[in-house]
Amino acid sequence: MRSIKTLRSDASHADAFKVGPTLFAATTSQYTLAEATSRPPQLFVLPKTATAESRVVTLQNPRYARLTRYLVCPKSGIYEFTKIAAPSAVPRSWLIESAKGQRIVTEGENGSEATVVDFEAHVTRDADIFVATPMDPLFLVLPALATTTTKSEAPKRMFLTSDDHFDSLVDSADSHLSQLLQVGKTRALLEGRMAVICDTVEAGDETMFRLNEDKLMDELLTKAGRMAEKLPKSMEERFVTRALEAPVVYKRAPAIPTEGSSDGGSALQTPMTEKSESQASLSSVGTVDSEVSQASTAATSVDLTTEEPITAAMVASEQVLKLQRLQVAFNFIVSAYVSHTFGATLKAHFAKHKSTDFKPLEEYLTELAKLKVEVMATRAATENTRKRGLEEEDDERAEKRRRKEEEEKKKKIGVSKGVRDLKKVNTSGMKKLSDFFKKK
Amino acid sequence: MLEAKLDQASILKKVVDAIKDLVQDCNFDCNDSGIALQAMDNSHVALVSMALKAESFQPYRCDRNIALGLNLTSLTKVLRAAQNEDMLTLRAEDAPDSLNLVFESKADDRISEYDLKLMDIDQEHLGIPETEYAATITLPSSEFRRICTDLMALSESVTIDASKDGVKFSCTGDIGNGAVTLRSHTNVDKPELNVDIELSEPVSLTFSLKYLVNFCKASALSHQVKICLSNEVPLLVEYALENQSHLRFYLAPKIGDDE
């Protein structure tokens, strides 16, 4: 019986194999998948203010000093693109189909000839979407104006014509800046923005520009102030709420409801993990915004304030929150649009800028750091576990100890057990024999 | 040139065994009167002084003064190869870099020969004056060892009180206290069991038991041990050997420490 059974199952397997290829053959004959195009269509969200003369151009990115695409409209200004993508773990696609089944293909240098071509439906590999948002052209010219800052502490900047400034920007042949300057109002726009942050001098019929850092700071601070008024929720959560969040104290005995949150006297206080995150790396939310990942972090973070027995040891005042928001906004602007070196100088200026007093924020942060250290210490004591962060240090220490032991072992070869034991003997109160017997 | 022959290897074996737990490296100073050794422990609170007179060797020849710098654990390793009854011969050049040891078995014609590397040891010698001790106690070495080991179970130090009533070894520890008292006692049949106390004035001194127990490792050398005490002076524990040879230990007393 058994042998027959196996035979049968073998046969059924063989059948299944036969079916497979025939089915496959049928699909290929009916639907032929088109080959992937080398230049697949991409989705853009363009502002209504951008006119039909708008072009996607390549310009030097002021932050990273590499070529980046921008949308330039000769009338309304310059727009930057923000790519919004699904995380690679969650693959998505767009199914794109034009309503009229047509698309406009522009050809030639200035897009003079436009033809209407039938547009086929497409499935894109990724669900990317590019959003064009207006950007201050000021940042595009800033690298030219601030070139000399890296060389010395007090840079000597010359008054130069706008052309000279632009020339230093048009290093790369791929940059479209020189062409842009000839079209429409772009040049006037750039010069207008330059005038805001520069000292100007009229020389004949030309205007000379020189960067004034105070003016630049004022301009940036206004921008930051405007941004700080309404920070995006994800940024508010991550860089304001979390950064200022004090370690929370969990009380097992909720006898005293809210009184004395920082009171260490009540027993059974177990410090809980505080979710502190450095506020430094703002660049992660740079031009390429990963909104999805941020959304997910926001979702996983526990709203600690809702649970009653948990109280934060410190609460940031409204003034501190405001200052923190301003700082976050400023850091964001600088880290997104200003080159790294110049950004550092600007941040230094920002810290001691006269218009805003950061003392309350600083005091709060030092207090917070102190508190965190304390909480860490008590936690280490109560949990009696080793911290991960110390592992490396431990390795080093173990290595040292091992070497020491080896040395001792070498020494011990000539030392008897009795001699070693005598080293441990308490000889307090015993004078040395040389005190009794004189040397010969 | 040094050439010294011991009729029994056991003497040197026992001497080295007794010292090796106190001292790591030391010089064996050889001159025409014999082989001497003086060394302190690492803490410099105890001192060992050995003298093997030329008469203990047969024959003994030493043309020049030689210092044989030896590591005692190394010497022990080599001496382990000798039987107690073997004849042992030490040989060294005038400016030696090694010590030659020959063990000859009396029963058969077995001869084993070892060379031990020497080392340069910078040692200071202390001049030990002849002292009239206030109390001199002679007792069986096994008895002294027993007292020390028994009391060490209770405490790390012992107080020796010598008075006309006898000598009292007492200690106080965490778990309790204990005392052993000995009186002069003469055993006609076995003189090695005699206890003899000579006293010019009463003495009371405290010593580290760990060190005393360490000294007791020399018990195998002699049936009797002589303990000499005077106030404010190091204790002397002496094991006498044949032919005026001796092994002496000195230990600084514990003064004014009430922990």
Side-chain angles (χ1 to χ4, degrees):
Chain A
M1 276 299 284
R2 185 159 285 184
S3 63
I4 294 166
K5 247 189 186 171
T6 43
L7 265 178
R8 266 193 199 154
S9 64
D10 276 353
S12 63
H13 270 293
D15 281 345
F17 263 107
K18 256 179 220 162
V19 172
T22 44
L23 269 177
F24 184 64
T27 40
T28 43
S29 63
Q30 280 181 12
Y31 313 100
T32 316
L33 279 173
E35 277 188 26
T37 52
S38 57
R39 300 180 65 182
Q42 285 170 319
L43 286 185
F44 291 89
V45 176
L46 300 180
K48 278 182 185 160
T49 48
T51 54
E53 286 93 70
S54 303
R55 292 290 175 270
V56 176
V57 297
T58 306
L59 294 172
Q60 191 92 347
N61 185 314
R63 165 70 177 173
Y64 302 104
R66 59 164 188 246
L67 295 171
T68 314
R69 302 279 196 188
Y70 292 92
L71 180 76
V72 176
C73 169
K75 292 197 178 86
S76 61
I78 299 172
Y79 303 83
E80 62 176 335
F81 288 116
T82 303
K83 180 185 177 189
I84 296 169
S88 56
V90 191
R92 282 164 203 270
S93 298
W94 289 116
L95 175 61
I96 307 166
E97 195 189 23
S98 168
K100 292 168 191 162
Q102 289 172 336
R103 68 169 167 163
I104 297 158
V105 175
T106 54
E107 278 163 22
E109 275 289 296
N110 306 319
S112 50
E113 300 164 36
T115 45
V116 179
V117 182
D118 283 342
F119 181 79
E120 294 163 4
H122 278 276
V123 178
T124 60
R125 186 183 291 270
D126 309 299
D128 297 347
I129 190 163
F130 295 88
V131 181
T133 46
M135 140 179 207
D136 194 338
L138 155 69
F139 294 113
L140 286 174
V141 286
L142 195 56
L145 296 168
T147 38
T148 46
T149 37
T150 50
K151 280 167 198 161
S152 62
E153 281 295 308
K156 273 188 184 173
R157 294 207 183 86
M158 306 290 211
F159 277 102
L160 291 171
T161 61
S162 58
D163 275 325
D164 289 330
H165 281 307
F166 294 142
D167 277 348
S168 65
L169 278 179
V170 194
D171 287 339
S172 166
D174 294 325
S175 173
H176 293 144
L177 187 66
S178 46
Q179 284 111 301
L180 274 183
L181 291 170
Q182 295 155 16
V183 183
K185 289 197 282 186
T186 314
R187 188 193 187 89
L189 185 76
L190 286 174
E191 282 180 2
R193 292 307 296 161
M194 274 165 74
V196 174
I197 55 163
C198 289
D199 299 328
T200 52
V201 169
E202 299 289 335
D205 54 348
E206 276 193 303
T207 316
M208 314 282 268
F209 297 90
R210 188 182 68 178
L211 180 66
N212 181 325
E213 285 192 10
D214 290 335
K215 281 187 181 179
L216 175 63
M217 280 306 294
D218 288 342
E219 182 67 19
L220 289 179
L221 273 178
T222 349
K223 280 182 190 297
R226 225 178 308 148
M227 184 180 167
E229 278 169 25
K230 186 84 185 106
L231 276 184
K233 204 182 169 192
S234 56
M235 277 181 82
E236 170 87 19
E237 154 95 24
R238 184 163 168 191
F239 297 113
V240 179
T241 317
R242 291 248 200 99
L244 297 181
E245 199 172 63
V248 288
V249 182
Y250 180 74
K251 288 183 188 168
R252 286 216 186 117
I256 317 145
T258 47
E259 180 243 337
S261 55
S262 59
D263 163 40
S266 67
L268 287 172
Q269 278 191 353
T270 322
M272 295 256 295
T273 38
E274 88 276 22
K275 292 186 175 61
S276 66
E277 234 157 290
S278 74
Q279 59 190 64
S281 66
L282 272 161
S283 52
S284 63
V285 268
T287 36
V288 181
D289 201 353
S290 55
E291 270 190 4
V292 182
S293 68
Q294 283 212 358
S296 64
T297 50
T300 50
S301 71
V302 187
D303 193 6
L304 290 162
T305 48
T306 54
E307 288 176 52
E308 273 198 346
I310 295 167
T311 42
M314 289 168 74
V315 179
S317 66
E318 190 52 42
Q319 191 192 12
V320 171
L321 281 174
K322 221 170 172 179
L323 288 172
Q324 175 73 4
R325 277 190 206 116
L326 184 65
Q327 192 169 12
V328 167
F330 182 82
N331 285 353
F332 176 80
I333 292 170
V334 168
S335 58
Y337 297 108
V338 183
S339 73
H340 189 77
T341 42
F342 190 53
T345 8
L346 285 182
K347 277 178 189 171
H349 276 292
F350 176 71
K352 49 187 182 226
H353 199 264
K354 50 200 177 293
S355 67
T356 19
D357 183 20
F358 282 97
K359 241 188 187 152
L361 178 61
E362 276 166 29
E363 278 166 9
Y364 180 84
L365 285 176
T366 45
E367 187 75 11
L368 185 64
K370 226 191 282 170
L371 193 70
K372 278 179 182 173
V373 170
E374 272 170 31
V375 169
M376 284 300 269
T378 43
R379 186 188 312 154
T382 45
E383 286 182 5
N384 204 16
T385 50
R386 310 194 106 185
K387 276 164 267 166
R388 287 264 163 84
L390 287 177
E391 248 169 37
E392 226 169 73
E393 210 176 301
D394 280 349
D395 281 352
E396 227 168 72
R397 223 180 282 157
E399 171 82 3
K400 250 185 206 168
R401 196 171 39 210
R402 207 168 45 83
R403 222 175 289 153
K404 216 176 170 187
E405 273 171 14
E406 256 170 38
E407 265 173 37
E408 270 173 19
K409 222 179 241 175
K410 263 183 209 166
K411 268 190 193 168
K412 271 180 193 169
I413 290 173
V415 185
S416 66
K417 190 176 168 291
V419 172
R420 278 205 305 279
D421 287 349
L422 277 188
K423 276 184 189 165
K424 294 172 202 154
V425 174
N426 173 17
T427 55
S428 62
M430 293 163 82
K431 280 195 206 164
K432 296 205 166 175
L433 281 172
S434 44
D435 291 348
F436 300 106
F437 306 136
K438 293 285 154 288
K439 281 175 197 169
K440 264 185 191 170
Chain B
M1 161 107 193
L2 165 80
E3 188 173 320
K5 188 170 181 180
L6 276 172
D7 195 43
Q8 295 217 312
S10 60
I11 296 174
L12 189 63
K13 284 179 73 151
K14 285 170 186 169
V15 167
V16 174
D17 265 347
I19 306 170
K20 76 164 202 299
D21 283 341
L22 195 66
V23 180
Q24 187 177 327
D25 311 303
C26 65
N27 280 324
F28 287 74
D29 298 306
C30 310
N31 56 35
D32 53 3
S33 66
I35 300 175
L37 173 155
Q38 192 197 78
M40 278 190 280
D41 77 309
N42 280 318
S43 316
H44 286 213
V45 297
L47 181 140
V48 56
S49 158
M50 179 207 77
L52 291 174
K53 301 287 180 198
E55 294 76 40
S56 301
F57 299 94
Q58 197 58 249
Y60 184 83
R61 177 190 160 193
C62 184
D63 304 335
R64 286 176 179 221
N65 293 358
I66 307 170
L68 303 170
L70 284 167
N71 176 280
L72 290 179
T73 27
S74 313
L75 181 59
T76 313
K77 282 175 189 166
V78 172
L79 288 176
R80 242 176 237 151
Q83 301 284 324
N84 278 339
E85 281 71 42
D86 282 358
M87 289 185 290
L88 183 150
T89 311
L90 301 170
R91 274 198 202 92
E93 301 293 319
D94 278 344
D97 50 15
S98 67
L99 171 70
N100 178 259
L101 298 106
V102 180
F103 312 136
E104 290 170 76
S105 169
K106 286 167 195 162
D108 43 45
D109 289 334
R110 184 180 192 270
I111 298 175
S112 41
E113 193 174 343
Y114 295 86
D115 282 311
L116 198 56
K117 284 182 198 160
L118 297 177
M119 50 207 277
D120 288 320
I121 299 163
D122 203 17
Q123 255 181 344
E124 55 189 26
H125 274 265
L126 298 180
I128 300 164
E130 286 291 319
T131 312
E132 287 290 320
Y133 286 97
T136 303
I137 307 140
T138 312
L139 72 160
S141 52
S142 57
E143 177 61 47
F144 182 53
R145 185 176 61 191
R146 186 180 160 197
I147 291 167
C148 291
T149 47
D150 285 353
L151 295 183
M152 200 168 76
L154 291 180
S155 173
E156 63 175 22
S157 50
V158 61
T159 303
I160 305 177
D161 289 295
S163 64
K164 60 183 192 315
D165 296 334
V167 57
K168 182 179 168 195
F169 301 83
S170 58
C171 73
T172 306
D174 291 339
I175 58 165
N177 56 60
V180 178
T181 308
L182 297 179
R183 291 201 177 83
S184 284
H185 160 85
T186 312
N187 190 322
V188 183
D189 295 335
K190 292 181 179 169
E192 70 263 24
L193 295 181
N194 284 356
V195 176
D196 181 44
I197 302 170
E198 287 171 32
L199 192 77
S200 58
E201 58 175 297
V203 184
S204 176
L205 287 168
T206 305
F207 300 100
S208 161
L209 272 169
K210 274 261 171 61
Y211 276 91
L212 292 182
V213 167
N214 212 304
F215 298 164
C216 286
K217 287 182 178 155
S219 297
L221 280 168
S222 171
H223 291 299
Q224 292 260 304
V225 60
K226 192 164 85 180
I227 300 166
C228 304
L229 302 132
S230 269
N231 283 323
E232 309 288 315
V233 160
L235 158 88
L236 165 62
V237 179
E238 178 178 325
Y239 294 87
L241 303 171
E242 287 172 4
N243 306 313
Q244 307 292 307
S245 298
H246 60 79
L247 181 61
R248 286 175 184 161
F249 296 99
Y250 295 87
L251 180 63
K254 287 197 167 203
I255 296 165
D257 82 311
D258 297 309
E259 284 159 40

